[in-house]
Amino acid sequence: MAKFSYKATDAAGKTLTGTIEAVDRNAALANLRKENLRPITLTLSGEKHQKSVTINSLLGQSRVKINDLVVFTRQLSTMVSAGVPILRALNTLQVQAESSALKSVLETVVKDVESGSALADAFAKHPSAFSDVYINMVRAGEAAGILDEILKRIASQQEKNASIRKKVKGAMTYPIILLIITFVAFFALMLFVIPQIGIILKDIGGADAELPVLTQVMLGISGFLQNQWYIVIGGIILIVVGVRRYLRSPRGKAQFHAVVLKIPGLGSIIQKVAVARFSRTFASMMGAGVNVLEALRVTGRAIGNVSYEKALEQAVVDVQNGKQLSQALMGNKLFPAIIPQMLAVGEETGQTDTVLVKVADFYEEEVDTAISSISSIIEPVMIVFMGGMIGLIAASVLGPISSLTTSIK
């Protein structure tokens, strides 16, 4: 008998972990299903990861790109709807996969499906490639016998999410590049230009020449950076590492996500992105036949903001206590009033997924407009900031030169 470690969800949607003894992996999966548990992961106790995974991670190839996953999902949907057996379809796509990361994942998935695992259970062993939303929707599609239709929904949802993510990144790329250039230029001037200018000023005005306060400050900063550069670099590294560790901790992440929602301008965009993601993800899961409680839990984790995850966890409790979801979200400042109102309409008509898809479309358009507006504001602000820093340095140099020139005349 072998011992397996498992992670599974029960009928109420609660996640459980533990160990189980069985002859092999298939027997362990069968035993878990007999106990009304849905396996998420199942690994042999003491089982080691393959070395190829470690090598791929070192080479930066361990993560499946979203575009590769979308193409795979659409191709799998087409093949399944055409009547191709799932195992044959997976084998074909594994051979044709251009991405080494996806090929590696599909090799394991094919072996698990050959061993009798459900497709969702095979996907669940690769959380870095397949999200909770993906796995739960595939599981619902298998149970309802509409896997091809569900895979189409998943691919469409992934494309929408990737589109929003790309727009947000695109809006932030230009100001970040300008900020980096500004700081590089500042440090270059401080380390190489200002010291030489200081020497020239002292040569012209003499050792007793009294320089303006601004120039003295700039020369002081320059001297500190030249002599104590290791302290500056070490301090920057410590600050970056400390901030990253704090933001990765549960408490730090929760506080950061709460703070960014309150930043004028940026908070509004983040809220619209979160609401659009909630609407589309929840609609997809409801359309796939996933029960409301499980859909809320998975959607909360998929939004990517701890504040929204906690709000949906509270909504799960309220729904369990007999409230409608529209009532549970009513009055929550994280969700605009239109969300509970549209949910109420969906609950009355039985078309919650259709209604929320329209809400998602609306907020995605709002995100596009907001990003375009903030991009047009950020660019001139960053240029003014960059010019201000360079102008400050120029003033500290030109001021004493002008003063000394007047004195010589």
Side-chain angles (χ1 to χ4, degrees):
M1 298 285 283
K3 182 180 286 187
F4 295 87
S5 300
Y6 69 85
K7 183 179 180 182
T9 55
D10 59 15
K14 185 178 180 181
T15 302
L16 305 173
T17 58
T19 58
I20 188 172
E21 291 188 354
V23 176
D24 55 21
R25 187 183 298 273
N26 291 335
L29 289 169
N31 291 339
L32 289 173
R33 292 195 184 101
K34 286 178 183 178
E35 297 177 11
N36 291 325
L37 296 177
R38 290 182 295 179
I40 297 175
T41 59
L42 182 69
T43 57
L44 185 64
S45 295
E47 191 174 24
K48 304 289 185 182
H49 293 291
Q50 296 180 356
K51 289 183 180 179
S52 60
V53 176
T54 305
I55 293 172
N56 284 338
S57 63
L58 290 173
L59 295 175
Q61 300 173 343
S62 61
R63 196 165 189 85
V64 178
K65 294 180 179 177
I66 186 67
N67 291 337
D68 294 329
L69 192 59
V70 169
V71 172
F72 160 75
T73 306
R74 285 213 178 275
Q75 290 175 337
L76 182 60
S77 170
T78 302
M79 295 179 79
V80 171
S81 61
V84 180
I86 190 68
L87 188 57
R88 182 179 173 186
L90 289 171
N91 269 308
T92 302
L93 294 175
Q94 186 266 322
V95 172
Q96 295 177 351
E98 297 180 0
S99 166
S100 59
L102 180 60
K103 185 183 287 288
S104 176
V105 167
L106 290 180
E107 284 177 5
T108 309
V109 169
V110 168
K111 290 178 183 177
D112 289 335
V113 173
E114 283 178 337
S115 301
S117 295
L119 183 61
D121 295 336
F123 285 159
K125 296 179 182 178
H126 306 278
S128 61
F130 304 101
S131 65
D132 287 348
V133 176
Y134 197 111
I135 294 163
N136 279 275
M137 287 183 68
V138 168
R139 183 174 282 117
E142 287 182 298
I146 52 170
L147 184 60
D148 55 336
E149 182 62 32
I150 295 302
L151 288 171
K152 288 178 184 176
R153 284 176 178 260
I154 295 173
S156 298
Q157 180 192 334
Q158 288 176 324
E159 287 172 341
K160 291 288 185 180
N161 288 341
S163 176
I164 291 178
R165 194 179 295 115
K166 190 179 294 183
K167 288 170 184 174
V168 173
K169 285 184 177 179
M172 296 304 296
T173 299
Y174 182 70
I176 288 173
I177 290 174
L178 277 181
L179 197 61
I180 291 171
I181 291 173
T182 301
F183 278 103
V184 169
F186 177 80
F187 280 104
L189 288 170
M190 284 295 176
L191 289 172
F192 304 109
V193 178
I194 294 296
Q196 298 300 320
I197 291 176
I199 295 171
I200 294 171
L201 291 175
K202 287 181 181 179
D203 288 342
I204 296 174
D208 297 330
E210 186 174 346
L211 300 175
V213 175
L214 180 59
T215 305
Q216 293 179 28
V217 170
M218 289 296 176
L219 288 173
I221 295 173
S222 177
F224 179 79
L225 290 176
Q226 279 190 313
N227 299 323
Q228 311 291 337
W229 58 269
Y230 52 89
I231 295 178
V232 176
I233 294 176
I236 292 174
I237 292 173
L238 285 174
I239 291 171
V240 170
V241 172
V243 169
R244 289 190 64 182
R245 289 189 64 180
Y246 178 71
L247 293 180
R248 287 179 178 178
S249 67
R251 181 182 176 185
K253 186 184 293 185
Q255 290 180 344
F256 175 72
H257 287 172
V259 167
V260 294
L261 286 170
K262 297 177 182 178
I263 298 175
L266 181 61
S268 174
I269 293 177
I270 292 174
Q271 185 185 37
K272 288 173 181 176
V273 170
V275 170
R277 191 170 292 174
F278 160 77
S279 301
R280 191 166 296 282
T281 304
F282 189 71
S284 297
M285 299 200 72
M286 292 298 290
V290 180
N291 70 76
V292 175
L293 298 180
E294 183 67 19
L296 282 172
R297 289 190 185 97
V298 175
T299 302
R301 294 192 294 268
I303 290 176
N305 186 290
V306 176
S307 298
Y308 279 90
E309 185 175 350
K310 289 181 178 178
L312 292 180
E313 286 174 359
Q314 182 58 48
V316 169
V317 175
D318 293 338
V319 172
Q320 285 177 324
N321 292 333
K323 281 187 177 182
Q324 294 281 357
L325 180 57
S326 57
Q327 296 173 337
L329 297 182
M330 188 74 71
N332 192 313
K333 294 181 180 180
L334 294 176
F335 294 93
I338 189 176
I339 298 298
Q341 290 172 5
M342 296 297 282
L343 277 171
V345 172
E347 289 164 352
E348 291 174 6
T349 60
Q351 295 182 327
T352 301
D353 56 333
T354 304
V355 170
L356 285 180
V357 166
K358 293 180 180 179
V359 174
D361 291 338
F362 169 75
Y363 273 99
E364 283 165 4
E365 290 179 5
E366 287 284 298
V367 170
D368 290 346
T369 304
I371 288 176
S372 300
S373 300
I374 201 168
S375 296
S376 62
I377 295 172
I378 285 177
E379 290 180 15
V381 169
M382 290 302 301
I383 291 173
V384 169
F385 175 72
M386 185 176 180
M389 290 189 68
I390 303 301
L392 192 66
I393 296 173
S396 68
V397 173
L398 296 176
I401 289 178
S402 175
S403 177
L404 289 171
T405 303
T406 303
S407 300
I408 291 171
K409 287 181 179 180

